[in-house]
């Protein structure tokens, strides 16, 4: 008897669809083994194996020469058709990889989606202690260096700060209370400096810097470096900021 046999048929079908979608979501973030996909989707190995076999038959997944599951033609077509940022992914991917290789810190490329900042590409640090930022990660646009850089360098910044209507203040992850006036003033400083900084704001354990990547007057997104608080002395922050400034300028050419 499987873990689904004691459920009503309709409920069993819904649960299977949800689990299959979770497996697809995990596979879309990069090559994964059966064990890794099962863990990411929160299902047993036997359930994952059964669902993955079905997804392979339908061409939503394939296995590469190492046996890892990768997006198949059907999933690739679906992702491309629904990806409004497909035109900048190559640029974003190269920018994050190059800067990660230079600093060995996690680097991410963020865009704005409604009231959120969304990571569309990232390259993870190889250090034992690191901040992880996967593609698809999102958070309020008014929190963190990436979000505030997106606000500050957007032509639509005024009146579009991402806060719910009627909200005059908000809290960071560290519990600090910020006001709408604080956010507007900080965005003015960010525009003047050409980049944003945040510490213990979107996450309690990290700091980040972010700079805009543009084509002419069009803001494509922001390049961000996210670093654990264990590496946060002033000289190191200055080094990261200098490297980021050069990388964002290079990506904007």
């Amino acid at each position: 008897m499987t873990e689904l046999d004691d459920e009503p048929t309709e409920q069993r079908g819904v649960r299977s669809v949800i689990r299959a979608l979770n497996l697809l979501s995990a596979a879309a973030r990069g090559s994964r083994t059966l064990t890794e996909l099962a863990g990411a989707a929160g299902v047993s190995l036997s359930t994952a194996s059964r669902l993955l076999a079905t997804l392979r038959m339908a061409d939503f997944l394939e296995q590469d020469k190492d046996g890892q599951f990768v997006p198949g033609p059907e999933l690739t077509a679906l992702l491309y058709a629904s990806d409004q940022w497909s035109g900048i992914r190559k640029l974003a991917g190269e920018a994050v990889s190059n800067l990660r290789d230079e600093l060995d810190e996690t680097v991410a490329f963020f865009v704005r989606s409604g009231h959120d900042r969304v990571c569309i590409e990232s390259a993870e640090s190889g250090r034992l202690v690191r901040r992880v930022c996967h593609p698809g990660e999102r958070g309020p646009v008014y929190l963190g260096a990436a979000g505030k850089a997106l606000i500050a360098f957007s032509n639509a910044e005024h009146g579009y700060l991402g806060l719910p209507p009627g909200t005059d203040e908000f809290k960071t992850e560290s519990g600090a209370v910020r006001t709408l006036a604080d956010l507007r003033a900080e965005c003015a400083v960010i525009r003047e400096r050409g980049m944003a900084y945040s510490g213990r704001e979107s996450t309690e354990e990290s700091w980040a810097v972010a700079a805009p990547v543009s084509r002419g007057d069009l803001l494509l997104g922001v390049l961000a470096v996210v670093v654990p608080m264990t590496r946060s002395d002033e000289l190191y922050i200055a080094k990261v900021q200098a490297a980021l400034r050069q990388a964002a300028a290079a990506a904007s050419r």
Side-chain angles (χ1 to χ4, degrees):
M1 178 179 290
T2 71
E3 59 192 284
L4 298 179
D5 285 344
D6 59 347
E7 296 181 1
T9 302
E10 182 178 353
Q11 183 178 352
R12 187 187 312 166
V14 171
R15 191 179 295 273
S16 292
V17 170
I18 292 173
R19 287 170 170 170
L21 290 173
N22 287 338
L23 288 168
L24 283 176
S25 179
R29 291 182 169 85
S31 302
R32 296 287 190 93
T33 65
L34 169 63
T35 301
E36 290 170 337
L37 286 171
V43 299
S44 67
L45 288 175
S46 60
T47 296
S49 179
R50 175 173 54 81
L51 292 174
L52 288 170
T54 301
L55 291 170
R56 285 187 61 197
M57 289 175 58
D59 287 332
F60 278 92
L61 290 178
E62 294 179 341
Q63 281 184 284
D64 63 18
K65 59 182 179 61
D66 297 319
Q68 298 200 72
F69 288 88
V70 297
E74 290 296 330
L75 179 57
T76 300
L78 182 63
L79 291 171
Y80 185 82
S82 62
D83 185 4
Q84 61 181 301
W85 299 293
S86 59
I88 63 172
R89 282 192 182 275
K90 181 179 179 182
L91 177 150
E94 290 176 351
V96 298
S97 294
N98 291 340
L99 188 53
R100 185 275 315 275
D101 291 346
E102 178 180 353
L103 294 172
D104 198 12
E105 296 288 1
T106 297
V107 182
F109 194 96
F110 285 87
V111 296
R112 182 164 185 166
S113 177
H115 295 320
D116 290 344
R117 50 175 170 78
V118 181
C119 173
I120 63 167
E121 294 290 340
S122 69
E124 190 173 321
S125 166
R127 303 190 193 208
L128 183 62
V129 177
R130 60 187 180 271
R131 163 78 158 88
V132 176
C133 183
H134 293 303
E137 178 180 314
R138 66 170 58 219
V141 73
Y142 53 82
L143 286 180
K148 290 183 294 187
L150 286 167
I151 293 173
F153 296 105
S154 170
N155 293 331
E157 182 266 323
H158 296 289
Y160 191 40
L161 300 177
L163 291 169
T167 301
D168 293 324
E169 63 181 34
F170 57 93
K171 286 186 177 181
T172 68
E173 283 297 312
S174 65
V177 177
R178 306 291 308 283
T179 67
L180 188 60
D182 292 335
L183 182 57
R184 289 190 184 279
E186 186 170 4
C187 285
V189 173
I190 290 169
R191 284 191 292 273
E192 181 179 349
R193 293 179 176 174
M195 70 170 54
Y197 168 86
S198 68
R200 302 184 188 277
E201 190 165 316
S202 57
T203 65
E204 173 66 16
E205 297 86 7
S206 64
W207 60 273
V209 286
V213 174
S214 305
R215 283 291 185 271
D217 294 330
L218 176 64
L219 177 67
L220 301 180
V222 298
L223 190 61
V225 185
V226 289
V227 186
M229 291 302 300
T230 51
R231 298 190 288 276
S232 59
D233 63 89
E234 291 185 6
L235 287 177
Y236 189 64
I237 292 175
K239 173 186 174 181
V240 171
Q241 288 176 321
L244 171 65
R245 191 182 302 277
Q246 291 184 350
S252 295
R253 290 176 189 150

